[in-house]
Amino acid sequence: VLPGVSFEFTQPIQLRFNELMTGVKSDVAVKIYGDDLDLLYKKANEAASIIKEIEGAGDVRVEQIVGLPQLVVKFKREKIAQYGLNIEELNRVIRTAFAGESAGTVFEGEKRFDLVVRLCEECRNKLQSIRNLRVSTPSEELIVLNQVADIDIREGPMQISRDNTSRRITIGINVRDRDVESFIAEVNQMLDTHFDLPAGYYTTYGGQFENLQAARRSSSIAVPIALIVILILLYFAFYSLKHALMIFTAIPMAVVGGIWALLIRGMPFSISAGVGFIALFGVAVLNGIVLISYYNELKREGMTDILERVLVGTRTRLRPVLMTASVAALGFVPMALSTAAGAEVQKPLATVVIGGIITATFLTLVVLPLIYVMFDEGFKPGKLISKKMGILLFPLMLISGTAGAQEMVVPQKIDIDAAVVMALENNFQLENARLDIEKAHKLKKTSFNLPPPELYLELGQINSTLHDRYLSISQSFSFPTVYTSSGKLNRAMVDLENMKYSMTRSELVASVMSMYSAWLLYHEQIKLIYMIDSIYLDFLSSAELKYATGDINNLEMVMAETKAAAIMNTYQSIYTELLITENDLKTLLNNSEDLEPSENTMIRIELNFGEDSIPLNNNPYIAYIRQYTELQNAVVKKEGMHHLPEFSIGYFNQSIDKVKGFDGIQIGMNFPLWFWSQSGKVQAARIERDKAQNQLDSEIKRSELEIANQFKQLEKYTFILDYYEKKALKQANLILDHSLKSFLSGNISYIEYATASSDAFDIKMEYLDAMNNYNQTVIRINYLIGNY
């Protein structure tokens, strides 16, 4: 530890660049601007003490702008005038003592030198020697310099740095084991919280942070351009956007590897790492080009089986792919391990490239063949689970941990009745409604509510000059019918909460059944898509053979691929809706486990009442509004009871002239004379009661109309289902069977087969939609007539 000395450690190239950018040799510069140099230095040290506590702050150094010792001579002008001296003469004496004055000339041959006279070095370093300098007055009197001047050594500014005409001080920080951006963000947060500056003083940040912001702006332009150029070059290499996109998938996989490599080596993201990612993009697509080009070559040579083509091509090109990746990765190893000058730039770049090449190679050998199969023929679940495809999927399952690494989670099978029971047991909204009933029961105790008794005591000169006492206790209470009306009001509140619970329960049951019916619909539709997809898969394989032999034209082949892609889009849409519906159902059931319907097919939900026997009184919402109307009637009666008088009864004991034991009873009555306030409350309660009655009448009419409309809808869907079950479904199965046989035998073209298959598929999908619409209508009717 050396007093007054601070250290910072950096690299030569990095140091020079930092100095060029901000005038500071550190990674990060925190600049504080202001007018007072001493205050700037004080605040800078205060800020440095805060920054040192932040993670990643390596070397923290405050710029030394004060502390330079200076010899200060302050002349005493009155004394100078008294001795007849002048400032110029005194300055000449001081200049002679320190710098020296020429007192003559010394000759050495043709050379000539000034003979300079000044104080010796030892005397120049002693303040007392300067103070004792002799000065000659005009009267030839010798005096010492200390008589006409105050001479001291004081600390002054060492340097004054300015940016844009403003004085500033710099805190230099070297960041270690952390990225600059997050470090600056935390510094800014800590200074805003714990560091105060006077008015007119402010801080800015410089160094690598400025460079990072500039590089981010340029990278936001350079990176998209690089990616677009790579995609364009890939397209012109294969003249196929499909193959270009296949190879382009290596780029995100390579990015993941680069990020992992930085994390493993504990390196933050830097500008050189960003440049490494740009370089990685170009290297990552090389192996994909090698593999896809060979697949296409095998296809041109007559290898039509795509799985065989992928297996043979991957096995043949395994060595070139590994060689290409190894050469690119090993070439960057010296840079990744470098510790020489410039290593701070080389190491992040090389680390990103090596890590990205490793993951990109994995993508090329394992994932890219799978993508090639799906892109080339469309996504076919039946074919992907074949034996050969299982060989390709096995390495991917090992990496993802799904091949024996974890126990397979078996979904819980559940039917519609079990779903309703689970919801009634676990749903939080229904539990809150039950707690509201319990709360209303507790509030029934407030029906008979007496005010606190009054205790009154007087001591002192009450009736005479003697000290007597007066003690009384009294209890007031309302008119008895007030407590009766309060009890009725609380009982009505309990009944209202019971109706609310019933309404919540009915809505929950209806919601669960409706959600379950939609969930089952999506499961059935996915099963149907799998069946249709397997038909298209077999047909597509046949179509490829016929196309290769010239039996069908290009239009029919394109239609086959289009139909396969359309089935995949339909599957994706329905599967997304299935996941959303399943999550909503789990929310109603308050269950986080995976679920699976136990039913094998959709069936009609039973309607328990006919149209001519609809008890609207059992409608949960109407019952709730009716009870709310009864509650408002109870409120009107309770408010009207406040016009009745209140009573009070009490006992007192008083002493008079020290004679004790005078007892008595007090009975009082309070008559309400000012009725306008309470009359307003009664009138408001009646208005609320009338509103509730109007709402009840309106809801009864609306429910009657909705029930009538729902039965009309039910009649429509019943007719549709009968048609599908008795005729259309059988015809759809016959269409699929006969059209496939006719196509395989060559009696019909693919266009005719595709049209027939599409019509049969649409019939089955429409039947499932009709079944769901029928069930949703029955669920709504059962709710409206109060079956739940």
Side-chain angles (χ1 to χ4, degrees), residues 242-278:
K242 177 173 61 177
H243 291 159
L245 291 174
M246 276 190 243
I247 300 173
F248 199 73
T249 56
I251 291 179
M253 195 71 175
V255 171
V256 172
I259 295 174
W260 281 353
L262 289 176
L263 290 175
I264 291 172
R265 300 198 66 185
M267 293 181 178
F269 180 82
S270 61
I271 302 304
S272 58
V275 175
F277 278 111
I278 297 177

Side-chain angles (χ1 to χ4, degrees), residues 3 30 32 71 81 88 98 120 148 184 189 197 286 300 315 324 361 369 388 470 507 525 613 638 646 671 676 745 771:
V30 179
I32 305 177
L71 178 66
E88 182 181 358
F98 279 91
C120 63
V148 292
I184 289 291
Q189 179 184 0
L197 285 174
L286 293 178
R300 288 191 296 268
R315 182 170 59 250
T324 304
T361 303
K388 291 183 178 180
Y470 176 81
E507 291 176 350
Q525 288 178 336
S613 59
K638 183 177 182 301
E646 295 182 354
F671 294 95
W676 53 80
S745 61
M771 179 65 75

Side-chain angles (χ1 to χ4, degrees), residues 145-311:
L145 184 61
N146 193 31
Q147 292 181 257
V148 292
D150 293 328
I151 304 171
D152 295 305
I153 295 179
R154 301 177 184 175
E155 288 188 355
M158 181 175 293
Q159 66 179 18
I160 300 177
S161 303
R162 296 178 182 270
D163 285 344
N164 298 325
T165 71
S166 298
R167 290 182 176 181
R168 56 96 172 155
I169 186 172
T170 303
I171 305 172
I173 310 163
N174 285 335
V175 182
R176 292 192 177 89
D177 301 325
R178 186 172 182 179
D179 63 289
V180 176
E181 185 174 11
S182 64
F183 178 79
I184 289 291
E186 187 171 354
V187 169
N188 190 26
Q189 179 184 0
M190 294 295 291
L191 293 183
D192 287 344
T193 306
H194 305 289
F195 182 64
D196 295 325
L197 285 174
Y201 290 71
Y202 61 95
T203 61
T204 61
Y205 301 95
Q208 287 187 1
F209 179 67
E210 288 181 327
N211 195 20
L212 176 64
Q213 290 180 322
R216 176 179 294 173
R217 289 191 294 268
S218 59
S219 297
S220 63
I221 301 174
V223 172
I225 291 177
L227 294 175
I228 293 173
V229 170
I230 291 173
L231 185 60
I232 293 174
L233 293 176
L234 288 174
Y235 174 78
F236 284 109
F238 294 94
Y239 289 98
S240 171
L241 182 60
K242 177 173 61 177
H243 291 159
L245 291 174
M246 276 190 243
I247 300 173
F248 199 73
T249 56
I251 291 179
M253 195 71 175
V255 171
V256 172
I259 295 174
W260 281 353
L262 289 176
L263 290 175
I264 291 172
R265 300 198 66 185
M267 293 181 178
F269 180 82
S270 61
I271 302 304
S272 58
V275 175
F277 278 111
I278 297 177
L280 178 62
F281 295 159
V283 179
V285 300
L286 293 178
N287 289 333
I289 295 175
V290 172
L291 209 57
I292 297 298
S293 61
Y294 191 66
Y295 290 162
N296 294 338
E297 182 180 348
L298 291 176
K299 185 177 182 179
R300 288 191 296 268
E301 292 176 356
M303 189 177 291
T304 57
D305 189 346
I306 186 171
L307 295 181
E308 182 181 0
R309 189 163 70 237
V310 167
L311 289 173

Side-chain angles (χ1 to χ4, degrees), residues 16 66 112 248 281 305 313 351 431 496 507 509 527 532 540 572-573 611 749 760:
R16 297 305 175 195
V66 296
R112 183 173 61 179
F248 199 73
F281 295 159
D305 189 346
T351 300
E431 176 64 16
L496 180 67
E507 291 176 350
V509 172
K527 290 179 183 179
I532 298 298
L540 191 56
Q572 187 61 43
S573 175
E611 185 177 2
S749 65

Side-chain angles (χ1 to χ4, degrees), residues 456-469:
Y456 186 74
L457 175 64
E458 288 186 11
L459 295 174
Q461 298 175 347
I462 301 175
N463 301 298
S464 64
T465 57
L466 299 176
H467 286 271
D468 297 321
R469 64 166 175 78

Side-chain angles (χ1 to χ4, degrees), residues 126 144 157 446 536 751:
K126 292 183 179 180
V144 295
T446 62
Y536 276 114
I751 295 178

